[in-house]
Every structure is written in structure tokens, then in C-alpha cells.
Amino acid sequence: MNDQAGTVVSPDQFVPTPPRPPRRTRLIPWIQIATALVAVAAGVILWFLFTAKAVQFDVNVDDAEVTVTGGLVFESADSFLMRPGTYEAHATATGHYDLTQEIVVTADDDPTFVLTLQRLPGDVQFSSSPAGAEVSLEGQTIGTTPLFSQIPAGVATLDFRAPRYIDGELTVDIVGMEEPQSVHLDLAPDWATLTVPTTPEGAVVYIDDQDSGFRTPGPVEIMSGEHTISVKKPGYARWTDIVYVTAGEVRTMEPIVLEPVGGALMVQSKPPGANVSVDKRFAGTTPVTLDLEPGRSHDVEVLLVGYELETRRVTVRSEEEKVLDLELREAVGNLKVITEPEGVEIWIDGEMKGLSNDTLALQAVEHDVELRKEGYAGYRNHLTIQPGFTQSLRVHLLTLEEARLEALRQVRTTADGQEIVLLDPGPIRMGASRRQPGRRANEPYRTANLNRLYYIGKHEVTNAQFAQFAPGHDSGDYQGHALNKEDQPVVNVSWNEAAFFCNALSDQEGLEPFYLVEGAKVVGFNPSSLGYRLPTEAEWSWAARHVEGQEELLHFAWGENLPPPDRFGNYADRSAQFIVSRVLFGFNDNHTVSAPVGTFGANTKGLFDIGGNVAEWMHDFYSIPQAETTIDVMGPTDGEYRVIRGSSYLHGAITDVRMSFRDYGTEGRHDVGFRIARFAE
């Protein structure tokens, strides 16, 4: 081959490149590997030590064991090393509940976590003197002693109750941790020890008419409070009295000489229910068996309303049993009915008996008297006929139109919003029998011939209502208990202030004021006025004690016997025992002082608190009337004091809570208020 220059080019002989020898693999000795691993581990440890936090735990139990889970944790003498993150701490200790608590470790300073272990309940053995007491914890009954129970650890307040003992309370620190512990309480007896010396001895002791199981002279165990105590021995008359004792009291009564019983007299009558008196002393109602002194004459009188008095002289021999059976004769009185217009039909107990201006002979009992005449509104009333007397009934009948207009004029509320009740009264025999327990000398039987319709306040006047008349008045408090709340009855008002309130209310309604005033004093009244006033004593008695269809007036507001039903009304009860000396035993109304008006139920006339809460001012001057007389409905014409009627929250004795109880005064008291009244026509 020639190039451009003409040079001859010839190829060289190919010689192949000789092969390279194989590369030798270098082996790392094992010691170098181990060294490297140690270095890595040391680095990790150093890294952990520099980034971990020293965590401590503050446990409320010294010997508690603490462990931590949830990550890499190293435990040292008094702390745990762990990196930031979320873990669970577990604590256990003898006698405590196990605890697991989540903890969060942050990159901040070394933290300390508080672990609080709760003690296990304690094994508590309860005992009491006497045994059999009911044990309660926080209102829940545990059981009766002797008693074993597990009680939560900590301070516990325990209540012990046992019949015939005063309730006890005990505050105990329960150790817990399943450790045995004993709790004991000695309950104080709730009875008094009463020695009853009698001549002769061995008489049966009755407490509240129940055989106590004791014989005189005792000693007798009697529960604290007021009780009727009687002693009876065969052949001797029963002896009875009322006693009031306190828990733990030890008392010896005055010696009692029992009167021997010579003979028995059973007195029966037709009809039954007649009052029996022996030698001028009330002895019961027929049929009744009487113990009489033998060997002498006794005057026995039997009287029933509407019947003639029957008198017998009786003598019994020792241990003789005699029967006196009497058929009573009807007592008769006369009723003269005078009407305008004349010619009015007279209906007695549903039967037509004659025309007006006739004189009718009627049995001396209560009758339903009705007057009828075509074109006129009828008249109806209950009238009690007095034996041996002629009573006059004067009635002006309204035409139907007049009656309609009169009905429209009747109101049910006053200008200041007080509710009033219209009452249609009749004659009332006020007072109480001399044999009635607790009766006072100022409560003789007397009759008031109520013959005018009248309104009376449904409630006692409240502080809010009285404040409209006297904005500056303050009823105050009684021994730290408020009396000045708006819905409580106003108290600490004098009689004169109450009368001025009535006149102010009359002015609001455009009525002629009832009370005549000179300066700042009431000097008289206008009996023809229809203005507001205080109720008369007779009106109050009718409203408080009369029950339709019932001949006898109420003994207590609730009936005939003590104690009243719970929460019947506001009297001195258990809640008031620290501010008064006498309370109604076993009664509770939940009000220490006066309650809001209307708290308790109304009586049969629709009136509230007329038998409790606060006593009330009456219109009448105070006096002690003659027994068995007919009194003026408006009371005496003069006097120094005014009558107060009704019980209050401070009254708990049998004398004070009776409906015939009378008091008097002129100035305000913590427990005296009033209610309003006025004539309806």
C-alpha cells in the first residue's frame, strides 16, 4: 500500500498481551471486627447517656417497688435513665392497690413523678353498748353490731342508732391495708329513771295508757319527753298525771296514796254519748263504768245536748256492781222566726214547719233552718236551740235581683292581694271543760251568737304585705333565726300597729275605716263599718275550731289527741329544742321558727296556719268572762290588754297547743302576728 508520498506501508506481526495474574483478596482480622463492635456499642452507650434523663419517682409508701416499661430503661440506685418518650410506671406495695400510671419524659430537666398508692380497705370489727345498734356510713346502713365489715381507708364518720338510746356519732381514722381494727361506741340511754312511791305498793305503772311492765315503787324507765303516767292496783282507783322527763334524769315523785274502790256503777243512756258527772265532777260519757266510794250517797247527773238533765242519787256497797240505765227525754226550746217580707215558709231539717212570725217548739240541738218564699232568695243556716229559751231569728230576704247584685259584690282578694274567705257562722260555745288537761282559768264555757257573715284572711299577714304599709318595719330574728323573710308572717307588731294596717287597707278599697283613731292611738270602732279589722275572738274560734257536722269544737287543731301528725303545722318541735324549753315529743315540722305562710295544709274552712306558726292578735279587749254566759260578739267594751289566740312556733306544752288557749298583751312579740277580717254585710 502506498501513501500519498509513495512510501510503502507494511503490517507488523501481532503479538497478544500476556494475561494479568489474579487479584488477591485482603482478609480483615477478627480482632479488628471485635474492636469495631466495641467502639460502636460504646458510642451507642455514650449517646444514650448523653441524651437520657435521670427520672426519679416520689412514692407515698417507703417500701414500694417501682418498675417502668415502654422503652429502653436503665435503673440506678435512686433513679431511672430513659430517653424522652412515653412510658408506664408500675408501683406496688404491701397493703395497697397496685398502680399503673402513664408518664411522659421530655427533653427538659430531669423530672420527678409523684406516684400515690391507695390503701386497701381495713378489716373493721364494730361493737356497741348496747349490742344490736344500726351502723351507717355516709347515710348507708352497714349492719347491726356486733359487725365485721371492710371499710375504705381514711377518716370515716359513723352513725350508731339503737331503740331507746340517743343517736351517736363517731369519727374514726380507718387504717386500711387489710389490717384488723376495732371500733366501739357506748350509746347514752334516752330514758329517765323514775321512782313512783305509792301506798300501797305493787301498783301497775301505765305510761301513755300502756302497761310498762313495772310495779311501784319501781324504779320505772320512761323515755324522755312528755308522758301520761298512771298507776292502778286492784281494789283502788286509778291515779293519773302528766310528767316531762329528760334523758338520764333520776327522779322520785311525790308519794301517792291510792284511794280504795268500793263499788262499781255502770251508767247507760238512750241515746248514748251523754256526759256523766258524779258529785259535780265530770266522770265520762255513757256507757261508762265508775268506781264509787262505798257506803255513802253520790249525786249522778247525765246530760246530752238536746235532752233534759237526768239526776239520780246512788249508793253502792263495797265490791257491788250496779247498773243505772236511763232513757233521756228530749229538751225543748222555742224558735221565733221574724222575716221581711212576711209569709215566708219555715223549713226545719228538711220539713215545712210553718210560716214566719210563728213560734216553733224544737228539740234543743242544732237544726238546719231554711226560709223559702217565691221570688226571693232563700236563707239557710244551722241554728242550735237552747233548752227552755225562746230564740229569735230575724231575717231580711233579698229579692233574686238583690241577691244577684250582692253576690257580684263579694270579693275574694284585697287591694294588696291577700286572699280572704267568706264564713257564715252560727252560735258557738267557746272555752273548755274544767276536766280538760292543760285548761286555764280564763277558758270558761260561754256562748257567742255569731249572726253576721264575715270575711277572714286565708293567711297571716306577711312581712312583704306589711312592708307596703310600713316600709321601715323589721320583724328581726329570734336567737339568730330570721323572722324577716318576705313570705314569713310579720311579727313584732303591736296591737295598735295591726289595727292601723287594717284601716290603711280599708282606705285602699274605699271602705269606711273600722277603727276610730285619735292621733296615733285607736280609741274605738264603728260596728256598722264594713272596713277591715282584726277578727273577734268568737269569729276566730268559729274559724279555727268549728267543723261542719261535728257538735264538739276541736280540742287541738288536728283532732283530739297528742301528738299532732308530722308536718301538720308549725309548733315547737325537734328542730326548735335548742331555743325553747318544751317541745312536742316526737313531732317534727322542719321549721325552727316561723315558716312561710301556707307551708302546711288548710283547715276545713280553707284557712292556713290558724293553729300554729305565729299567735294572732284579736279585736277584743282581754277579760276573764263568767262561765255559762252569753257574751257580746265584739268582746268587752274596755280593758287594758288585747286578746291573743292560737299557738306559735314557741309553743310545745299541752296547755299552749290547745285551741281554747288564751293569751293577752298590747306590745309586739317575736311570735305574735295577725290576720285580717271584716263583716261581709
Side-chain angles (χ1 to χ4, degrees):
M1 181 177 174
N2 295 326
D3 60 9
Q4 295 177 352
T7 304
V8 180
V9 179
S10 59
D12 291 333
Q13 187 170 347
F14 173 74
V15 180
T17 303
R20 295 175 62 184
R23 183 179 293 175
R24 294 177 58 188
T25 301
R26 187 177 179 182
L27 297 177
I28 300 175
W30 67 267
I31 190 166
Q32 290 177 312
I33 295 173
T35 302
L37 290 175
V38 169
V40 171
V44 170
I45 291 173
L46 290 174
W47 169 81
F48 178 81
L49 291 176
F50 280 108
T51 61
K53 298 295 179 181
V55 178
Q56 292 186 326
F57 292 96
D58 184 1
V59 188
N60 63 322
V61 180
D62 292 339
D63 58 352
E65 295 183 1
V66 179
T67 59
V68 179
T69 60
L72 186 59
V73 179
F74 286 98
E75 182 177 0
S76 64
D78 58 352
S79 62
F80 293 79
L81 293 177
M82 59 186 80
R83 295 196 70 253
T86 301
Y87 300 83
E88 284 189 347
H90 308 277
T92 60
T94 302
H96 294 74
Y97 290 102
D98 292 347
L99 174 67
T100 297
Q101 181 174 316
E102 183 182 88
I103 61 173
V104 177
V105 179
T106 65
D108 297 333
D109 295 338
D110 295 340
T112 298
F113 294 98
V114 177
L115 302 180
T116 304
L117 293 174
Q118 301 296 326
R119 289 178 287 170
L120 291 171
D123 296 333
V124 183
Q125 179 74 39
F126 294 96
S127 61
S128 67
S129 176
E134 180 185 274
V135 183
S136 300
L137 174 63
E138 296 180 353
Q140 298 296 320
T141 300
I142 301 172
T144 56
T145 59
L147 166 69
F148 172 84
S149 181
Q150 285 194 326
I151 305 299
V155 177
T157 299
L158 302 158
D159 296 310
F160 289 71
R161 294 182 179 86
R164 293 172 49 82
Y165 287 80
I166 299 173
D167 294 350
E169 183 180 279
L170 191 62
T171 300
V172 181
D173 188 359
I174 303 300
V175 176
M177 301 188 296
E178 298 182 331
E179 291 189 11
Q181 187 173 354
S182 295
V183 174
H184 179 84
L185 181 64
D186 293 321
L187 294 176
D190 194 21
W191 67 78
T193 301
L194 193 65
T195 299
V196 187
T198 62
T199 303
E201 295 183 344
V204 179
V205 179
Y206 293 86
I207 298 174
D208 298 327
D209 293 327
Q210 299 294 320
D211 188 343
S212 68
F214 292 93
R215 301 295 182 267
T216 60
V220 180
E221 292 180 358
I222 180 170
M223 299 302 292
S224 62
E226 186 175 86
H227 300 276
T228 299
I229 183 169
S230 305
V231 294
K232 181 70 173 68
K233 186 177 179 67
Y236 293 86
R238 178 188 289 259
W239 177 93
T240 301
D241 199 1
I242 296 175
V243 298
Y244 183 88
V245 297
T246 57
E249 180 182 2
V250 178
R251 187 199 303 180
T252 299
M253 298 184 65
E254 293 292 329
I256 301 166
V257 178
L258 300 178
E259 297 292 335
V261 176
L265 175 67
M266 174 177 280
V267 183
Q268 302 176 154
S269 68
K270 295 180 182 178
N275 292 331
V276 179
S277 296
V278 178
D279 300 329
K280 303 299 182 183
R281 298 180 64 183
F282 177 74
T285 58
T286 59
V288 62
T289 300
L290 310 174
D291 293 329
L292 299 182
E293 181 182 346
R296 74 175 187 86
S297 297
H298 299 275
D299 291 324
V300 179
E301 296 179 342
V302 180
L303 178 63
L304 180 64
V305 174
Y307 294 86
E308 298 286 351
L309 174 67
E310 297 289 343
T311 303
R312 298 289 188 276
R313 179 159 288 185
V314 178
T315 302
V316 295
R317 297 185 301 274
S318 180
E319 299 185 0
E320 179 186 9
E321 295 184 358
K322 183 177 287 187
V323 177
L324 179 60
D325 200 348
L326 301 173
E327 186 160 348
L328 303 179
R329 297 168 295 168
E330 287 189 359
V332 177
N334 295 321
L335 175 65
K336 185 176 182 62
V337 181
I338 304 169
T339 65
E340 182 185 342
E342 298 181 348
V344 176
E345 294 179 353
I346 305 172
W347 292 70
I348 304 295
D349 299 328
E351 295 184 14
M352 203 280 203
K353 294 292 186 180
L355 299 176
S356 57
N357 298 323
D358 288 346
T359 299
L360 308 177
L362 301 174
Q363 185 183 3
V365 294
E366 185 179 80
H367 294 279
D368 180 29
V369 180
E370 186 178 2
L371 305 180
R372 303 178 186 174
K373 186 174 179 65
E374 186 176 354
Y376 288 83
Y379 170 88
R380 191 168 190 171
N381 201 354
H382 294 286
L383 189 63
T384 300
I385 302 300
Q386 302 299 322
F389 292 94
T390 298
Q391 296 170 242
S392 294
L393 176 62
R394 296 178 181 271
V395 178
H396 173 73
L397 293 182
L398 300 176
T399 65
L400 295 177
E401 179 64 14
E402 289 172 337
R404 186 184 71 83
L405 294 175
E406 180 64 20
L408 291 176
R409 284 194 294 267
Q410 292 180 359
V411 295
R412 292 293 178 267
T413 58
T414 66
D416 64 350
Q418 295 189 60
E419 294 183 81
I420 54 178
V421 176
L422 179 66
L423 297 183
D424 185 3
I428 181 172
R429 192 184 190 209
M430 301 159 60
S433 166
R434 289 183 297 176
R435 300 291 298 175
Q436 188 180 104
R439 179 191 182 272
R440 298 173 64 184
N442 65 355
E443 304 170 24
Y445 278 135
R446 67 246 185 233
T447 300
N449 291 320
L450 292 166
N451 55 14
R452 293 182 68 177
L453 297 171
Y454 67 98
Y455 288 105
I456 188 168
K458 181 179 287 189
H459 301 286
E460 294 158 337
V461 175
T462 66
N463 285 307
Q465 291 159 350
F466 194 78
Q468 297 179 42
F469 161 70
H473 178 75
D474 184 354
S475 289
D477 66 84
Y478 188 76
Q479 296 193 17
H481 298 276
L483 300 173
N484 204 44
K485 297 177 183 177
E486 287 192 352
D487 55 359
Q488 286 179 293
V490 66
V491 293
N492 284 320
V493 293
S494 67
W495 183 94
N496 210 62
E497 290 171 325
F500 271 73
F501 175 88
C502 294
N503 273 7
L505 186 56
S506 298
D507 288 338
Q508 289 185 53
E509 297 190 7
L511 298 173
E512 182 181 9
F514 184 82
Y515 291 106
L516 306 178
V517 175
E518 288 184 3
K521 185 177 181 181
V522 173
V523 296
F525 63 92
N526 180 4
S528 63
S529 167
L530 298 183
Y532 289 97
R533 54 179 172 79
L534 298 170
T536 69
E537 189 175 9
E539 289 172 339
W540 187 93
S541 297
W542 175 272
R545 302 186 65 192
H546 175 265
V547 177
E548 198 69 35
Q550 181 174 307
E551 182 176 339
E552 291 292 326
L553 299 180
L554 287 176
H555 185 173
F556 300 104
W558 55 89
E560 296 303 314
N561 300 305
L562 284 170
D566 249 8
R567 294 172 178 80
F568 176 87
N570 189 6
Y571 303 92
D573 67 330
R574 290 200 299 263
S575 65
Q577 61 185 336
F578 299 108
I579 67 170
V580 297
S581 58
R582 296 288 295 275
V583 299
L584 287 170
F585 179 71
F587 177 70
N588 182 28
D589 58 47
N590 284 344
H591 291 277
T592 303
V593 292
S594 62
V597 299
T599 297
F600 306 96
N603 73 354
T604 59
K605 299 290 191 297
L607 306 181
F608 293 83
D609 301 316
I610 201 159
N613 213 19
V614 296
E616 299 174 16
W617 286 118
M618 298 293 105
H619 164 80
D620 310 45
F621 282 110
Y622 175 79
S623 69
I624 301 178
Q626 294 294 319
E628 301 298 346
T629 57
T630 300
I631 63 171
D632 192 318
V633 173
M634 301 305 295
T637 57
D638 56 24
E640 182 179 356
Y641 300 104
R642 297 286 182 168
V643 175
I644 299 172
R645 292 298 300 267
S647 306
S648 77
Y649 63 87
L650 293 178
H651 290 147
I654 189 172
T655 292
D656 308 328
V657 298
R658 295 173 308 110
M659 297 300 282
S660 59
F661 171 68
R662 304 176 75 222
D663 202 354
Y664 59 89
T666 56
E667 300 305 317
R669 282 185 1 202
H670 289 96
D671 68 333
V672 176
F674 68 98
R675 70 179 72 221
I676 58 172
R678 73 176 179 90
F679 288 122
E681 56 183 7

